[in-house]
């Protein structure tokens, strides 16, 4: 029979079990942290009616969406978890308790041109808080507090959550008479870390910004210092614009709340250059960077929006959300050798039991049952291979202990426990073996 | 703006957060049990090249597959987790440690005509053990042992894992000179529980089986009794067919292993009428039923196959696998009121903190931090609603305790803890509150 070459499409991540276990550890850490703040899980379909998913999309995003027709139905694959959340909240509005704190972790799809670091299938780990009509600004501080807790647990080194407020940006540009060009200006300004101030200025002038305004814009986005210094500098601009002042007030509140949450000051920072999803966010926006790995870009982003459900409902539902792009993050951690820092054995068997002379099945099974009753993940090697081969299996899978069971062990109701790291080997009781295994 | 009606496609399950928590509890129970037996996780893409996924498919299955073209690429959505496993093992053969014990839990897709109990998107929870060239029959017993542990934990009532062996069936029909018609005969015989013995006989005769052979077939599939009685009855048929005798030997071994695993005798039973995936399995086959809910059909099925990787590789890789269709199972449990038996609060906040007069943010946050450091899932209600509204939120979400914090509590570093079930309310220390919350 002719064979089909076994391969997957580019842009799709597939891991070895060893790395999958590390990935799952990160997944679980995120999930458990989200739950520890009272967020509730939902799980929406990956396939939805195209008219639902495309209600808002357009331009580049729409081109990337996997869409097809089955029978008479136009179907699309979700490309984020926010549009499905919007549909979910609109559909189930009467059954939901507000503020609705939901998390969803799942795969999303974008048919992008494959390139390093871009994925066509990737996990998003989203939390959002949705209010019915109104939503306290304290939630704008709770989300970075949660993200702080996640990355603290990961221990990939120093990180900083950058915070800005779209009202500050909108108000500032409005005060320069540039309201109509905000989107274009932000797109240019967003690139400052990549292309530098000079080219940003050139590009601003190219779209019709006066040289004076361009200088003010550059002065503005370069405002730096401690969080308090930045807030003072903003106030000292003496801009008489209601939106601007509202934004400064909000960012000051968020900073104060973060301090009351006890988040160390070096883990959050006002950064006036970040803008995020230009037509979407309306208040606080976030990005997160690993200090020693700036080349990773933002590993966690989000912000506040005025109305989640405008495409499907007449209710006004403000919300604030943040998302970790886990697949991309994991890929970058692999590239930078950082996943070695994930010391987890949360899914690997803690012990392998081997039958030394292939005639002690019943006793082997009993020992296995006892270990599992003691919550020890226990693999048993079946088959009449030589002992050597069975030890090799444990070694390859990095199982830390092997229990060797032969005639003697069976007759005396004992086990021989071998520490696969030290090589040490002892005849002992099952109870003692349990203690040794649990100690690691 | 005109609104799009928020709805999902039929055949897709979407749950309330309350039910999602129960679903996740089942998911986690299955995952943890699989891991407790040393199975390793993998996560393959949902989208694969059509030529990979369709290498084997055909007929009804192929018609149900979601396929589309993007650019020049023919893409399909996976319709099970076995074909991707086959591709994975073929592709990564040199990096895999055999026997390869893997689990995968994920969504699969079938564009079936929507009808009650049929899903187009559903979770499969698969475990398989793959051998390189050979695989001990002991694994054929380990899999039902794992399933026993899963359903024991679920406690949905009595269940029985039915076991048969395709070699017994093939050998038996071969001894009747009906080898060519095995597939058709099994298809008819498989329906005996639904249509009864009389109609089975009629249909057998209709496809050319002699009346005598039809009677022997009916006699054969009606062999019943204890496991030992069935094995003896099979031996007493005195069929001189190598395949048949090999099958009887295998089923006897599996039954003996199950006893040595200490699985209670009433949880497994030889059932000669079950056949499963007619062109796929080659040895042991399984189905699982809830004794009090026979109408649910098999809630967990699988079997032994001679070669997993024949479409992608020249290696011979025998395997044995079993799968729980979690989405369908959960749907049936909902229909039968059985999910009420799932008493889990594994994802709901254990406590809600409310700021009684909206002026104690810092102390509220501190208490929240302390509780979370003590591994208590803690929700905090922000916003200046009346206390009544905040209590309603806790009530609706079934959060068991509320900590009320006002001026007095803050000044004395205490909390008022309210038991939302009994209504009892006490002023106490944070330490004491932690003890009370942890007790539940």
């Amino acid at each position: 029979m002719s064979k089909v070459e076994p391969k997957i499409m580019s842009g799709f991540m597939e891991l070895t079990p060893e790395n999958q276990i590390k990935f799952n550890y990160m997944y679980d850490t995120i999930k458990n942290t989200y739950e520890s703040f009272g967020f509730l899980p939902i799980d929406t379909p990956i396939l939805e009616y195209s008219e639902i998913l495309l209600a808002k999309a357009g331009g580049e995003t729409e081109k990337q969406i996997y869409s097809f027709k089955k029978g008479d139905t136009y179907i699309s694959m979700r490309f984020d978890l926010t549009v499905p959340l919007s549909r979910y909240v609109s559909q189930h509005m009467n059954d939901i308790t507000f503020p609705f704190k939901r998390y969803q972790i799942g795969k999303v799809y974008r048919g992008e041109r494959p390139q390093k670091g871009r994925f066509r299938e990737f996990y998003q780990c989203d939390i959002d808080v949705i209010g019915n009509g109104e939503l306290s600004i304290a939630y704008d501080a709770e989300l970075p507090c949660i993200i702080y807790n996640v990355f603290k647990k990961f221990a990939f080194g120093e990180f900083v959550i950058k915070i800005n407020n779209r009202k500050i940006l909108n108000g500032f540009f409005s005060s320069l008479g540039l309201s109509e060009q905000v989107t274009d200006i932000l797109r240019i300004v967003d690139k400052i870390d990549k292309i530098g101030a000079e080219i940003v200025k050139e590009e601003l002038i190219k779209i019709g910004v006066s040289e004076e305004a361009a200088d003010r814009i550059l002065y503005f986005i370069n405002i730096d210092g401690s969080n308090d210094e930045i807030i003072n500098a903003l106030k000292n601009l003496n801009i008489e614009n209601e939106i601007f002042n509202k934004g400064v007030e909000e960012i000051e509140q968020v900073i104060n709340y973060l301090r009351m949450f006890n988040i160390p000051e070096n883990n959050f920072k006002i950064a006036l250059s970040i803008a995020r999803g230009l037509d979407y966010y309306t208040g606080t926006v976030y990005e997160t960077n690993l200090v020693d790995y700036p080349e990773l870009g933002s590993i966690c982003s989000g912000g506040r929006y005025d109305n989640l459900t405008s495409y499907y409902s007449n209710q006004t539902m403000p919300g604030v959300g943040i998302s970790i792009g886990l697949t991309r993050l994991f890929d970058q951690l692999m590239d930078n050798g950082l996943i070695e820092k994930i010391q987890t054995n949360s899914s690997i068997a803690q012990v392998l039991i081997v039958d030394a002379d292939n005639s002690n099945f019943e006793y082997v099974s009993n020992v296995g049952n006892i270990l599992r009753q003691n919550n020890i993940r226990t693999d048993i090697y079946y088959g009449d291979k030589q002992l050597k081969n069975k030890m090799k299996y444990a070694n390859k899978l990095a199982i830390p202990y092997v229990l060797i069971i032969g005639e003697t062990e069976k007759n005396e109701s004992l086990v021989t426990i071998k520490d696969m790291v030290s090589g040490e080997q002892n005849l002992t009781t099952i109870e003692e073996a349990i203690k040794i295994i649990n100690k690691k």
Side-chain angles (χ1 to χ4, degrees), chain A:
Chain A
M1 194 171 65
S2 86
K3 306 292 176 191
V4 178
E5 190 201 339
K7 60 180 183 201
I8 58 170
M9 296 190 287
S10 63
F12 289 75
M13 176 181 275
E14 183 168 87
L15 301 169
T16 61
E18 190 191 349
N19 281 338
Q20 189 66 50
I21 287 167
K22 295 186 177 198
F23 186 95
N24 292 358
Y25 165 78
M26 291 183 69
Y27 180 108
D28 289 339
T29 301
I30 294 168
K31 173 177 177 282
N32 293 336
T33 309
Y34 288 174
E35 290 189 354
S36 77
F37 281 79
F39 283 73
L40 298 170
I42 68 168
D43 181 17
T44 64
I46 284 176
L47 299 181
E48 299 224 21
Y49 288 116
S50 292
E51 59 164 11
I52 294 281
L53 292 189
L54 304 182
K56 185 186 124 184
E60 277 310 302
T61 310
E62 185 154 342
K63 267 186 246 157
Q64 293 171 356
I65 295 173
Y66 287 109
S67 293
F68 55 94
K69 197 180 169 191
K70 178 105 182 162
D72 295 330
T73 312
Y74 290 92
I75 301 173
S76 293
M77 300 184 77
R78 67 183 181 205
F79 55 92
D80 70 8
L81 299 176
T82 306
V83 178
L85 172 64
S86 168
R87 192 265 312 145
Y88 184 95
V89 171
S90 305
Q91 185 176 344
H92 303 292
M93 202 169 280
N94 298 324
D95 302 319
I96 288 173
T97 305
F98 292 95
F100 182 44
K101 301 174 83 172
R102 89 86 178 78
Y103 76 89
Q104 181 167 9
I105 304 179
K107 288 176 169 180
V108 304
Y109 295 82
R110 293 190 191 178
E112 299 203 63
R113 291 251 299 277
Q115 50 176 303
K116 181 69 201 144
R118 293 279 179 173
F119 289 91
R120 290 167 161 178
E121 175 184 72
F122 53 98
Y123 278 92
Q124 289 286 108
C125 312
D126 279 25
I127 27 175
D128 290 81
V129 188
I130 312 299
N132 193 351
E134 55 176 1
L135 184 70
S136 165
I137 184 110
Y139 291 106
D140 293 44
E142 188 179 50
L143 294 200
C145 174
I146 296 167
I147 294 307
Y148 165 79
N149 277 279
V150 168
F151 284 98
K152 196 78 198 162
K153 282 180 201 153
F154 285 156
F156 295 132
E158 273 184 74
F159 61 92
V160 58
I161 303 168
K162 292 184 185 166
I163 298 171
N164 197 6
N165 191 301
R166 290 296 299 273
K167 293 191 181 77
I168 296 176
L169 298 175
N170 291 337
F172 173 74
F173 293 115
S174 166
S175 76
L176 294 177
L178 295 168
S179 284
E180 298 298 309
Q181 282 157 286
V182 169
T183 307
D184 288 336
I185 296 172
L186 288 179
R187 190 174 34 74
I188 295 168
V189 160
D190 213 29
K191 296 187 287 185
I192 191 159
D193 287 344
K194 285 185 197 145
I195 63 177
E198 278 307 302
I199 300 176
V200 163
K201 186 175 169 182
E202 275 171 34
E203 292 202 8
L204 288 174
I205 290 169
K206 228 180 273 172
I207 62 162
V209 176
S210 72
E211 191 169 351
E212 195 203 330
D215 283 333
R216 291 196 63 164
I217 291 169
L218 282 170
Y219 174 81
F220 169 78
I221 60 170
N222 277 317
I223 292 174
D224 207 353
S226 70
N227 290 314
D228 288 333
E229 283 164 359
I230 295 174
I231 289 169
N232 283 331
L234 288 171
K235 287 179 179 169
N236 289 335
L237 289 175
N238 289 316
I239 293 173
E240 305 254 330
N241 178 291
E242 204 183 327
I243 303 283
F244 180 85
N245 290 322
K246 178 77 181 147
V248 175
E249 185 193 320
E250 285 183 4
I251 212 165
E252 194 169 10
Q253 282 180 300
V254 170
I255 296 295
N256 283 336
Y257 282 135
L258 284 170
R259 287 174 183 151
M260 287 196 275
F261 277 134
N262 253 323
I263 311 297
E265 194 82 16
N266 62 324
N267 287 112
F268 59 93
K269 178 164 175 47
I270 299 173
L272 296 174
S273 66
I274 68 166
R276 308 299 314 165
L278 304 174
D279 54 351
Y280 185 59
Y281 295 117
T282 51
T284 310
V285 286
Y286 319 98
E287 291 191 354
T288 310
N289 293 92
L290 293 183
V291 174
D292 297 329
Y293 301 88
E295 66 275 20
L296 268 60
S298 176
I299 56 177
C300 174
S301 315
R304 158 79 76 149
Y305 35 89
D306 276 344
N307 193 0
L308 176 74
T309 56
S310 58
Y311 292 88
Y312 316 110
S313 145
N314 289 314
Q315 298 287 101
T316 300
M317 301 245 157
V320 57
I322 199 161
S323 177
I324 302 173
L326 183 55
T327 300
R328 185 164 163 264
L329 174 59
F330 194 83
D331 184 60
Q332 292 171 318
L333 295 173
M334 285 199 289
D335 282 354
N336 287 280
L338 281 168
I339 59 161
E340 310 310 324
K341 289 202 181 184
I342 306 175
Q343 292 296 336
T344 177
N345 49 10
S346 58
S347 307
I348 293 174
Q350 294 161 272
V351 60
L352 175 74
I353 311 182
V354 300
D355 188 343
D357 47 20
N358 303 312
S359 60
N360 311 293
F361 188 94
E362 186 161 14
Y363 182 59
V364 162
S365 300
N366 280 338
V367 175
N369 284 341
I370 294 168
L371 293 181
R372 289 190 195 105
Q373 278 153 18
N374 282 274
N375 292 319
I376 292 172
R377 292 184 303 277
T378 305
D379 196 0
I380 301 178
Y381 191 109
Y382 300 110
D384 51 8
K385 295 263 183 185
Q386 288 179 297
L387 186 57
K388 185 176 69 180
N389 291 313
K390 299 177 183 177
M391 301 308 278
K392 219 165 153 185
Y393 172 90
N395 237 330
K396 276 182 160 179
L397 294 181
I399 300 173
Y401 290 104
V402 173
L403 296 191
I404 303 162
I405 288 175
E407 199 67 16
T408 316
E409 286 83 1
K410 180 174 66 177
N411 291 338
E412 303 182 24
S413 291
L414 295 172
V415 296
T416 293
I417 184 165
K418 179 167 182 169
D419 182 322
M420 295 300 284
V421 179
S422 71
E424 206 184 322
Q425 189 168 318
N426 290 300
L427 187 68
T428 183
T429 62
I430 299 172
E431 294 69 38
E432 191 54 35
I434 290 171
K435 276 187 208 153
I436 294 170
I437 294 162
N438 273 331
K439 238 181 254 165
K440 185 154 277 185

